[in-house]
Each structure stands twice: as C-alpha cells, then as structure tokens.
Amino acid sequence: MKQGPLAGLRVVELAGLAPAPFACMILADLGADVIRVDRATPGADVLGIPNDPLARGRRSVGVNTKTPEGVELVLKLADRADVLIEGFRPGVAERMGIGPEQVHARNPRLVYGRMTGWGQDGPLASAAGHDINYIGVAGALDPIGRAGERPVPPLNLVGDFGGGGLMLAMGVLAALHERTTSGRGQVVDASMVEGAALLTTSLHGMRASGVWPGERGENLLDGGAPFYDTYETADGKYVAVGAIEMRFWADLVKVLGLEDEDLPFHLDQSQWPRLRKILAEAIGRFTRDELVARAEGTDACLTAVLSPWEAAQHPQNAARGTFVDIGGTVQPAPAPRFDRTPAATPEAPHETGSDTAEVLAELGYDDAGVAALRKAGAIA
C-alpha cells in the first residue's frame, strides 16, 4: 500500500506528454496507485529522458493498443480503477476503443480525465499546438515581457503544468468527491487554454478597476514597477525585489543604504524611470549574496534569484526538504504537505513495461493467458 492522502486510489494512465503525466505524478506523489500504460516496445519513456521525474512513483505496463487483446487489457485495468487519464486529441481514445462511453459501459464509477490543449470541442479542437499556442490564445502570454518588446514564453509552466496538469488533477479530485454522493463517475474535460485563462483571473479584475492600466511591462506586477523587478548584482547574478507596501519599501531603502528623503515616492508612476536607475545603481554595488545577507531578518522582500539547480541548496528549501534525490536526480518533493497522511518520497521511474507481468497477475492472467497475449502482440 502506498503512503499519502490518496492511498487506495487506483489510476490508469495512458502514457503521453507533459501535462497528463504531471497530473498523474501529482496523484502518485500523494499516494495513488498509478499504472502507466506505455507502448509495448521496451525502452525509454515517451520523451526519451532517462529517470524522468514526470514518470516517478508508478508502475509501467507495456501494451500494444492497436491489437484487440491490448485494448481489452486496458479495459480490464479500467474495470478495477477509480480514474483513467488520457491526453490524446479529441476522438483518438474513442477510435482506440477506450473512450469514455466504452469504459463507462463497464465501470460507471470511473472518473475519466481528458487533457487537451483546446478542449474536446470548438473550432480548434483537432488542431495541433503546444503550450505557447494555448497560453497565447488564453491571454496569458501577452502580458509577460518587457515594455516595448515581444512577449516572452514563461517556459511551459503556465499551459502544460499550471493550467494543464495541475488543473486536471484538481478536476479529477473534484469528480471523485462528487462520486461519494452520486456513486457515478464522469468525464473531466481539462483544456490548457481554459486552465491558463483561469490563472489570469486577477488580471481581469485589476484591468477593470484601473489598477492595471498599462500595456506589457508597464504595470505593478509585470516588471513595470521598479520596486517589483529583478536586478543584476556586482557578480553578474540577480536578486528579486518585491517591496510594494510602505513598510517593506522602507526596509529595502535601509538595506540598500539609501536615504528615504532623497527618493521619490515609490508609488508615483511618473517617477518610476528615475527610481529604477537609483535602485539599479545601488544594487549593482553589491554581490548577490552580500545583498541577501544584508536583507536577512528584514521585511525588504529582497531575495536571491536562484537557478533550479541552486534552489535545493537554499537554507529554507533544505530545512523543509523541498527537494529530494530520487534515483540520482535531484527534483522537487511532493507537495502540498499533510499532517496525518504525509506522502512518501516517490520511487524512481520504472523502466517501460517492467511491471507488466506483476500487473497481469493482479488481473488474474495465468501463464497461459500471458503467453496468449504475447503471441497476439498485445504485450512485449
């Protein structure tokens, strides 16, 4: 039995890319027993990344879903599951014979999670796309970047992971909660466009109220304000400054060795260009670590900008165990935390198809049944 608040939950994952695996990683991290259905051919995962953290914490079966026997095997897995998650384009799972109607006919309590970029319908539903396209249409890409410059892709964090995988995991859990009263499963249609749009909710409120009047890079939280931005330090590294409130701003002024009476009012937007030059000059006199040390114990809201590879060494992250070493790869630990049912450190990713025999035995296949599946090309 796995450990965590989702212990006892059974999930079938149809292997895919980025957002759906991330959703399944979250569920597995929190204790769900996730079985990943990979291609029958042994080898690396679908991305070709050895020890990929997105594949951690679940078993893998190698199945050829182009054979009737392989489709039946997936359906048998779904018969015993609480959740099935797929990330195909609309209609693909149905053509394979493992769409919602086919699965619910056998297991009406199953929650069927679907991850797409555009959603299951609409004029773009069948179109190709990636994170950058989805967040562009969602209105989440345009505000990110410097004033007068083109939008900057925020990696693939907003579409694939925040608006995609995380939203899908939340939707699945909501559907499971509803099932406790209805006794029925349902389809969760998670779209990266809609998830990314949801992440911009506060921007719409600020725009409507006049708090976000400018274009890209000209507002309070997009790098337009000099007291909410990043600055280069004397050693070529960077610090993040977020001193919005008056008392935080006062502490920042002291940390930088400036005289408050010589500075313009920091919330006066007309003075922002002048104030930015003052801050850049003051910060540039120190190294990153010198500034961090000066800010320690204050409310200056000045912190180091760390690379993902440095972050594990930060004292706060080290004290909390925010990162863990799994199979030789340092990566983020499961989150959030639970006081009664804490999640365990996830297992390293299993080799593709390495758990096929074990899972088939759990489904009741004997040696003859396994041999028949192998002969039919349904498993490797």
Side-chain angles (χ1 to χ4, degrees):
M1 176 68 75
K2 294 189 67 175
Q3 178 180 323
L6 297 183
L9 188 72
R10 292 173 295 187
V11 180
V12 176
E13 171 192 0
L14 305 184
L17 293 172
F22 183 61
C24 292
M25 185 203 81
I26 292 170
L27 299 177
D29 280 356
L30 300 184
D33 178 16
V34 181
I35 296 175
R36 192 177 72 247
V37 178
D38 285 304
R39 297 186 180 96
T41 304
D45 61 272
V46 71
L47 281 179
I49 300 174
N51 202 26
D52 183 5
L54 287 181
R56 72 192 189 190
R58 52 246 208 220
R59 295 183 289 172
S60 167
V61 297
V63 180
N64 181 2
T65 54
K66 295 182 179 180
T67 66
E69 294 84 357
V71 170
E72 178 61 22
L73 178 53
V74 173
L75 290 172
K76 284 187 175 181
L77 287 169
D79 289 345
R80 298 160 51 95
D82 298 290
V83 180
L84 184 146
I85 289 179
E86 57 96 348
F88 305 128
R89 292 198 205 187
V92 171
E94 285 84 350
R95 292 194 293 272
M96 294 169 65
I98 50 179
E101 288 189 11
Q102 291 117 327
V103 172
H104 282 151
R106 300 169 55 136
N107 181 2
R109 287 179 52 81
L110 181 130
V111 171
Y112 197 107
R114 316 196 80 168
M115 182 79 261
T116 60
W118 309 108
Q120 293 297 314
D121 51 34
L124 291 177
S126 62
H130 281 297
D131 180 293
I132 193 170
N133 308 115
Y134 308 136
I135 68 174
V137 171
L141 176 57
D142 180 78
I144 301 174
R146 292 295 180 185
E149 299 181 10
R150 65 182 187 270
V152 177
L155 305 181
N156 61 332
L157 300 179
V158 175
D160 278 351
F161 299 117
L166 191 60
M167 210 66 71
L168 174 59
M170 183 189 72
V172 164
L173 296 177
L176 288 169
H177 173 73
E178 191 278 337
R179 191 182 71 174
T180 63
T181 56
S182 71
R184 299 171 56 199
Q186 60 182 303
V187 176
V188 179
D189 175 4
S191 151
M192 283 178 263
V193 171
E194 289 153 15
L198 188 64
L199 296 178
T200 70
T201 301
S202 67
L203 293 181
H204 290 272
M206 287 190 284
R207 184 74 169 191
S209 65
V211 178
W212 196 272
E215 298 304 316
R216 178 186 319 114
E218 298 176 348
N219 302 283
L220 182 65
L221 303 177
D222 59 3
F227 49 83
Y228 197 92
D229 206 349
T230 58
Y231 290 90
E232 187 172 2
T233 55
D235 52 350
K237 298 180 180 180
Y238 294 87
V239 293
V241 172
I244 301 174
E245 293 84 353
M246 289 299 299
R247 62 190 183 91
F248 299 162
W249 170 253
D251 274 13
L252 177 67
V253 169
K254 293 177 183 177
V255 165
L256 297 181
L258 298 172
E259 296 295 333
D260 193 32
E261 58 269 19
D262 297 333
L263 299 175
F265 179 47
H266 76 294
L267 296 179
D268 180 354
Q269 190 166 353
S270 68
Q271 296 295 317
W272 282 2
R274 178 186 167 208
L275 189 56
R276 183 180 301 280
K277 291 181 181 179
I278 294 172
L279 293 181
E281 181 180 343
I283 290 172
R285 293 198 298 263
F286 302 95
T287 68
R288 184 188 72 181
D289 292 346
E290 286 172 344
L291 275 174
V292 169
R294 290 173 66 91
E296 186 174 353
T298 74
D299 282 338
C301 297
L302 183 151
T303 57
V305 174
L306 303 176
S307 72
W309 343 120
E310 292 178 287
Q313 308 306 318
H314 189 278
Q316 175 67 22
N317 294 333
R320 293 270 297 174
T322 305
F323 292 82
V324 291
D325 187 318
I326 301 174
T329 300
V330 176
Q331 56 198 267
R337 305 192 179 197
F338 302 83
D339 67 344
R340 290 191 298 102
T341 57
T345 299
E347 295 179 347
H350 292 201
E351 186 177 348
T352 300
S354 61
D355 304 293
T356 303
E358 177 183 273
V359 172
L360 288 177
E362 292 175 3
L363 292 177
Y365 285 89
D366 57 16
D367 290 344
V370 172
L373 287 174
R374 187 169 288 116
K375 184 176 180 180
I379 61 174

